[in-house]
Amino acid sequence: MQEVTIRRRPPHGIEAQNCGPVDFKRAEENQPRNILEEIVWHKGVEIARWRERVPLGMVMTAAKASPAPRDFIGAIQAAAERTAKPGLIAEVKKASPSIGVIQPDFDPVDYACRVQIAQAYERGGAACLSVLTDKKFFQGGFENLTLIRQAGVQCPLLCKEFIVEAYQVFKARASGADAVLLIAAVLPNSDMNYLIKAARSVGLQCLIEVHTVAELERMLLLNNLEGCMLGINNRDLQTFKVDLGNTKQIMESAAGQEVLKRGIIMAGESGIFTPDDVAFVQSAGCGAILVGESIVKQGDPEAAVRTLLEQ
């Protein structure tokens, strides 16, 4: 059975090959079939460029030499116990492919700005931060992890990246991340096990993201989920449409009940805009929420976080 439907790279190679006066263009089936596939294909190009500048060995050395990572999952659990609300992972991002630029004045640690977004999230009660590192599609960057940490933010940081190779895992740790995102729609279980092992080797925890019951069933078959939590993305990464009911449907499945039985923390992601939405995913069994758009676009991120988590 095919584990993933996302093709990791163009089936017929790069876009064009030059042969003397003739240019061979890629075939029609070599076009990405959806946004997620386009993003993943670009990662291959991007990682190749990184490797040319900084070899894998140097990145691994920098990752292992970094200060000890913070306890990402522990911070979520502590916040949930303290507030009786799901622990909030607040997302630092400027844009997304689905809606374009969210916050035109975005700079995660711009000292000239009235509101420093990352610090405001922390003051407002966020347990952790999710930092978009994809540059082409989300206008992010790995440097934002470093800048946010240097600005004095203490809460753990999630590297929100479309990870397909261990190079990205080590780059995340070297940049200051405490956890990484791994997407089930992109990674078969063999790759998922390998990347979890790579993350553990440098002290990173993992947020494993699923979109369907089938993906969750597959993730529960992984070798070892120690140091991992799960997340349900209510945004279909192929169409980018959002359905908050996806969380309820997945958590009511046998696989969802197995998550609760095994005591694995589940995060509800995307489509969470109001305290009622928070209550909805919490009642479904989520001990964490990952929220971006609804608080990023607010003029006062600290107040937006407090409002979202209010009783």
Side-chain angles (χ1 to χ4, degrees):
M1 187 176 103
Q2 187 177 11
E3 290 187 70
V4 298
T5 57
I6 298 298
R7 299 173 298 174
R8 289 277 286 273
R9 56 187 58 83
H12 301 296
I14 61 176
E15 182 171 1
Q17 290 284 353
N18 295 323
C19 184
V22 181
D23 287 342
F24 291 95
K25 298 297 184 181
R26 64 186 182 187
E28 185 66 29
E29 62 268 25
N30 224 38
Q31 298 289 336
R33 295 178 296 201
N34 51 60
I35 296 173
L36 180 56
E37 200 164 84
E38 184 179 1
I39 292 171
V40 168
W41 287 8
H42 182 68
K43 286 299 159 188
V45 176
E46 198 170 33
I47 294 168
R49 291 171 182 163
W50 293 341
R51 285 177 181 275
E52 289 178 359
R53 294 195 299 267
V54 184
L56 175 61
M58 291 180 63
V59 177
M60 291 178 65
T61 299
K64 292 177 180 179
S66 297
R70 291 162 170 78
D71 185 356
F72 186 85
I73 295 174
I76 291 171
Q77 291 174 316
E81 291 171 2
R82 185 174 64 251
T83 65
K85 295 281 188 179
L88 171 62
I89 308 166
E91 193 143 272
V92 181
K93 67 178 179 180
K94 178 174 182 177
S96 76
S98 59
I99 59 175
V101 174
I102 300 168
Q103 176 52 268
D105 298 326
F106 173 87
D107 187 325
V109 288
D110 184 354
Y111 294 102
C113 290
R114 181 178 61 85
V115 177
Q116 298 167 5
I117 294 175
Q119 293 175 330
Y121 284 165
E122 186 171 49
R123 290 195 303 270
C128 302
L129 301 185
S130 169
V131 182
L132 262 296
T133 54
D134 178 82
K135 191 173 294 290
K136 179 176 180 179
F137 296 90
F138 290 86
Q139 299 185 36
F142 281 84
E143 65 275 8
N144 287 340
L145 289 163
T146 304
L147 290 170
I148 289 170
R149 186 60 77 213
Q150 289 176 345
V153 171
Q154 296 299 310
C155 62
L157 304 180
L158 171 73
C159 175
K160 188 81 174 288
E161 168 75 351
F162 294 84
I163 290 178
V164 293
E165 292 190 27
Y167 189 103
Q168 295 159 286
V169 172
F170 298 129
K171 186 174 176 66
R173 178 81 276 269
S175 300
D178 306 293
V180 290
L181 176 74
L182 301 175
I183 302 174
V186 174
L187 302 168
N189 279 30
S190 58
D191 286 2
M192 189 70 75
N193 280 319
Y194 169 69
L195 290 169
I196 290 172
K197 185 176 180 180
R200 287 200 188 107
S201 73
V202 289
L204 289 170
Q205 295 175 327
C206 300
L207 169 57
I208 301 172
E209 182 176 281
V210 302
H211 302 80
T212 66
V213 172
E215 287 180 356
L216 179 56
E217 290 171 343
R218 182 161 61 84
M219 293 303 98
L220 291 175
L221 297 176
L222 291 170
N223 293 341
N224 187 352
L225 286 173
E226 181 182 352
C228 298
M229 61 180 288
L230 295 165
I232 297 172
N233 195 336
N234 298 303
R235 186 185 303 279
D236 186 316
L237 288 185
Q238 298 190 35
T239 66
F240 270 58
K241 293 180 179 178
V242 178
D243 177 10
L244 195 61
N246 191 45
T247 290
K248 187 172 187 293
Q249 177 188 351
I250 291 177
M251 291 306 294
E252 286 179 345
S253 71
Q257 293 305 299
E258 178 68 15
V259 168
L260 298 178
K261 182 179 178 181
R262 289 167 61 172
I264 302 170
I265 295 179
M266 178 66 82
E269 309 174 25
S270 298
I272 299 171
F273 290 88
T274 68
D276 286 343
D277 294 336
V278 175
F280 178 84
V281 296
Q282 184 175 22
S283 66
C286 292
I289 51 174
L290 193 155
V291 183
E293 179 185 343
S294 67
I295 52 178
V296 169
K297 66 183 181 181
Q298 299 298 317
D300 187 342
E302 179 180 348
V305 168
R306 295 187 188 281
T307 299
L308 187 68
L309 296 177
E310 70 183 7
Q311 298 293 334

